[in-house]
């Protein structure tokens, strides 16, 4: 039996055990492809900016991954030299394309980036794989910081029907402390502002502190956020009703997210969301199998396993909201199960981006 078919069947079998997933009859397999599985790269690519020079530099360096695996050091060295030259040639245009108030900061960051690229090239000459990967990670982080300088305001208006819900107008980072160790995650309000806002609002309230993981499926999901008592989500103290958060998915090329419509509803059978379920520790917002917009507080970590959920074959892209990614603590995540719990979730940065409501 072909390995791709085996992977599909295994993924489908595991999905059938999850009552928050949609019925298997709605399964629409997407063709496998060269999906980006690095959460840092996904977050860089999903910034609402178009800075062609920086993105060319970013993608040139990310493209060295295949050369690293094949130990093509001559190609890696050439990529480093071309990247240094590209930044030298384009730095003035990069700075001038940014808002005036950010240009002084950009000059300083570009000077740092130039030094980092020179160091990367030197490591490439020495053919030290691990050191090269560490330095490349730092370089790409610096490029992402430069790209973020181009964002001066939140890029779109959230539909008025969600005015009573909190929203995150930007990004935030959190530390998730568990009994097995700590995780760090980046929450993306640019592409899922309502979902991210609901999550960060609950973090600020201490809602998740002490809650257990109530569902664990090997190689698929680890879920939490079910409060003690009869409610399955967050009950707002004023209304005494469960707050509900819509399905929210950003479609590539569109200006605002789609709400309460799956990709199947939209006829987008071959589309990958801006924030895909493509890496270990993708943060997904749970909803019931009866409705798309009844998620309230429960969320899950997608336990991406390439052999079981190859690119384009998972059952959750376009059906569940992604609102962020674990960026550190993957070894801890892989050890967690239903016998474990969240001790605390702490907001590390981005509090200024949270609005209580519209």
């Amino acid at each position: 039996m072909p390995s791709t078919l085996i992977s599909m069947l295994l993924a489908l079998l595991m999905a059938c055990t999850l009552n928050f997933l949609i019925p298997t009859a709605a399964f629409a397999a997407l063709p496998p492809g060269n999906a980006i599985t690095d959460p840092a790269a996904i977050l860089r690519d999903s910034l609402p900016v178009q800075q062609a020079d920086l993105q060319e530099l970013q993608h040139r360096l990310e493209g060295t991954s295949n050369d690293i695996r094949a130990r093509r050091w001559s190609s890696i060295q050439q990529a480093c030299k071309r990247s240094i030259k590209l930044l030298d040639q384009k730095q003035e245009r990069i700075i001038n394309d940014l808002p005036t108030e950010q240009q002084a900061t950009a000059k300083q960051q570009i000077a740092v980036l130039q030094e980092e690229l020179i160091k990367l090239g030197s490591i490439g000459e020495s053919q030290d794989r691990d050191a090269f990967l560490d330095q490349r990670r730092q370089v790409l982080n610096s490029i992402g910081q430069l790209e973020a300088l181009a964002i001066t305001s939140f890029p779109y208006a959230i539909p008025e029907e969600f005015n009573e819900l909190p929203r995150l107008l930007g990004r935030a980072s959190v530390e998730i402390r568990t009994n097995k160790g700590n995780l760090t995650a980046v929450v993306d309000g640019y592409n899922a502002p309502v979902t991210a806002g609901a999550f960060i609002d609950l973090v600020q309230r201490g809602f998740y502190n002490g809650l257990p993981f109530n569902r664990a499926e090997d190689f698929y999901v680890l879920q939490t956020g079910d409060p003690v008592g009869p409610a399955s989500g967050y009950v707002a103290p004023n209304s005494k009703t469960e707050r509900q958060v819509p399905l929210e998915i950003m479609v590539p090329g569109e200006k605002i997210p789609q709400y309460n419509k799956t990709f199947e509803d939209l006829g987008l059978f071959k589309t990958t969301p801006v924030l895909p379920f493509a890496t270990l520790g993708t943060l997904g917002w749970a909803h019931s199998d009866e409705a798309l917009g009844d998620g309230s507080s429960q969320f899950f970590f997608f336990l991406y396993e390439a052999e079981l959920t190859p690119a384009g074959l998972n059952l959750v892209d376009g059906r569940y909201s992604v609102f962020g990614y674990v960026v550190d603590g993957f070894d801890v995540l892989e050890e967690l199960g239903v016998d474990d719990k969240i001790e605390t979730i702490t907001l590390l940065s981005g509090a200024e981006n949270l609005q209580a409501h519209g």
Side-chain angles (χ1 to χ4, degrees):
M1 185 179 293
S3 60
T4 300
L5 181 56
I6 293 173
S7 299
M8 291 173 61
L9 292 174
L10 286 170
L12 186 60
L13 177 63
M14 286 184 291
C16 290
T17 68
L18 305 178
N19 63 18
F20 67 79
L21 286 180
I22 64 171
T24 56
F27 170 58
L30 305 181
N34 295 319
I36 297 173
T37 59
D38 175 14
I42 294 171
L43 287 164
R44 282 191 298 272
D45 283 340
S46 61
L47 284 169
V49 296
Q50 291 295 328
Q51 219 303 335
D53 295 323
L54 284 173
Q55 289 171 330
E56 179 184 353
L57 181 61
Q58 171 193 328
H59 295 151
R60 183 188 298 276
L61 292 170
E62 289 171 346
T64 59
S65 293
N66 289 334
D67 293 325
I68 292 170
R69 284 191 287 269
R71 299 185 180 277
R72 293 191 288 261
W73 286 103
S74 60
S75 295
I76 293 169
Q77 291 158 11
Q78 284 298 317
C80 291
K81 291 176 181 177
R82 289 169 183 163
S83 297
I84 293 170
K85 185 177 180 180
L86 175 64
L87 183 61
D88 185 58
Q89 292 175 337
K90 302 294 180 66
Q91 62 174 302
E92 184 175 350
R93 186 165 72 182
I94 291 170
I95 292 169
N96 290 336
D97 282 348
L98 293 171
T100 302
E101 64 272 18
Q102 299 287 15
Q103 291 182 4
T105 300
K107 288 180 182 178
Q108 296 174 351
Q109 291 189 2
I110 285 177
V112 172
L113 179 57
Q114 287 174 318
E115 294 295 325
E116 291 174 345
L117 280 170
I118 291 170
K119 182 177 179 180
L120 184 68
S122 177
I123 295 172
E125 295 288 342
S126 68
Q127 301 187 12
D128 185 332
R129 178 184 179 276
D130 291 341
F132 183 86
L133 289 172
D134 287 342
Q135 182 63 18
R136 187 184 67 164
R137 188 176 300 111
Q138 179 58 51
V139 169
L140 289 170
N141 181 61
S142 295
I143 293 171
Q145 291 175 358
L146 275 167
E147 290 173 337
L149 291 178
I151 305 171
T152 57
S153 62
F154 194 74
Y156 55 87
I158 297 168
E160 292 183 1
E161 63 186 292
F162 307 122
N163 270 358
E164 295 306 311
L165 295 174
R167 64 276 322 277
L168 187 71
L169 304 181
R171 285 183 174 168
S173 61
V174 297
E175 181 183 59
I176 303 170
R177 300 179 66 88
T178 78
N179 59 301
K180 290 284 181 64
N182 302 338
L183 314 168
T184 303
V186 173
V187 178
D188 185 3
Y190 289 125
N191 295 290
V194 176
T195 312
F199 175 76
I200 294 298
D201 175 67
L202 293 177
V203 167
Q204 292 284 63
R205 295 173 184 273
F207 178 87
Y208 295 108
N209 297 349
L211 291 185
F213 293 102
N214 55 293
R215 182 181 299 278
E217 300 293 337
D218 288 345
F219 312 117
Y220 217 73
V221 297
L222 178 69
Q223 185 167 323
T224 186
D226 186 4
V228 177
S232 60
Y234 169 67
V235 176
N238 294 333
S239 67
K240 307 299 182 183
T241 60
E242 188 174 291
R243 184 170 75 190
Q244 295 191 335
V245 180
L247 177 69
E248 180 180 44
I249 306 175
M250 183 68 85
V251 179
E254 295 196 1
K255 294 182 178 180
I256 68 171
Q258 287 285 344
Y259 288 94
N260 288 332
K261 292 182 180 179
T262 67
F263 276 14
E264 186 175 34
D265 294 333
L266 297 168
L268 302 175
F269 301 106
K270 296 183 179 181
T271 301
T272 299
V274 172
L275 299 180
F277 287 94
T279 183
L280 175 66
T282 302
L283 300 178
W285 199 252
H287 60 74
S288 75
D289 55 358
E290 285 84 24
L292 299 175
D294 65 357
S296 179
S297 64
Q298 297 192 48
F299 72 96
F300 57 94
F301 300 93
F302 188 61
L303 305 181
Y304 177 84
E305 170 56 52
E307 292 302 315
L308 298 179
T309 51
L313 291 178
N314 71 64
L315 299 174
V316 282
D317 268 345
R319 296 173 172 88
Y320 288 84
S321 307
V322 172
F323 63 97
Y325 296 91
V326 170
V327 295
D328 191 38
F330 301 103
D331 54 337
V332 174
L333 181 57
E334 291 179 321
E335 294 298 319
L336 293 169
V338 290
D339 295 326
D340 300 305
K341 68 175 183 178
I342 290 175
E343 294 181 346
T344 61
I345 303 182
T346 305
L347 185 62
L348 300 177
S349 65
E352 70 281 2
N353 294 325
L354 179 66
Q355 286 189 3
H357 51 76

